[in-house]
């Protein structure tokens, strides 16, 4: 909300402006799409997949890994679950 605050536009007015743009354009006033995730295996080339696998293997060899138990404990702590 910092940008809206800097412009001096109350949030309710900004929402109203957004809705009016949707009505005027008969759709969203901007393109909406999901970003390509760089590690989506179904979209990776063989070279990209091999590179990522090599990175993971190097991390394992260098001891830069966590046990599954520790990884899940960290997630639970971070997200309070």
């Amino acid at each position: 909300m910092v940008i809206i605050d800097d412009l001096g536009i109350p949030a309710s007015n900004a929402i109203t402006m957004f809705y009016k743009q949707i009505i005027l354009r008969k759709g969203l006033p901007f393109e909406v799409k999901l970003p390509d995730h760089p590690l989506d295996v179904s979209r990776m080339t063989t070279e990209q997949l091999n590179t990522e696998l090599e990175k993971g293997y190097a991390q394992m060899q260098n001891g830069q890994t966590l046990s599954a138990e520790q990884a899940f404990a960290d997630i639970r702590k971070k997200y309070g679950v």
Side-chain angles (χ1 to χ4, degrees):
M1 294 279 205
V2 174
I3 294 172
I4 293 172
D5 291 341
D6 289 347
L7 294 173
I9 301 171
S12 61
N13 288 15
I15 293 168
T16 300
M17 291 165 48
F18 176 65
Y19 284 146
K20 285 183 179 184
Q21 285 297 308
I22 291 173
I23 293 165
L24 288 170
R25 294 171 186 257
K26 296 185 173 124
L28 293 176
F30 48 83
E31 182 180 11
V32 178
K33 65 180 188 173
L34 296 175
D36 292 333
H37 191 282
L39 298 180
D40 181 351
V41 175
S42 68
R43 296 180 180 196
M44 295 173 82
T45 66
T46 300
E47 182 179 315
Q48 290 170 322
L49 177 59
N50 287 340
T51 298
E52 291 304 317
L53 290 172
E54 288 171 8
K55 283 186 212 176
Y57 184 68
Q59 288 174 335
M60 183 187 71
Q61 286 183 317
N62 293 328
Q64 298 171 307
T65 61
L66 293 174
S67 67
E69 182 178 310
Q70 184 60 52
F72 283 113
D74 291 350
I75 291 169
R76 285 186 199 99
K77 181 179 178 182
K78 182 176 181 177
Y79 296 103
V81 291

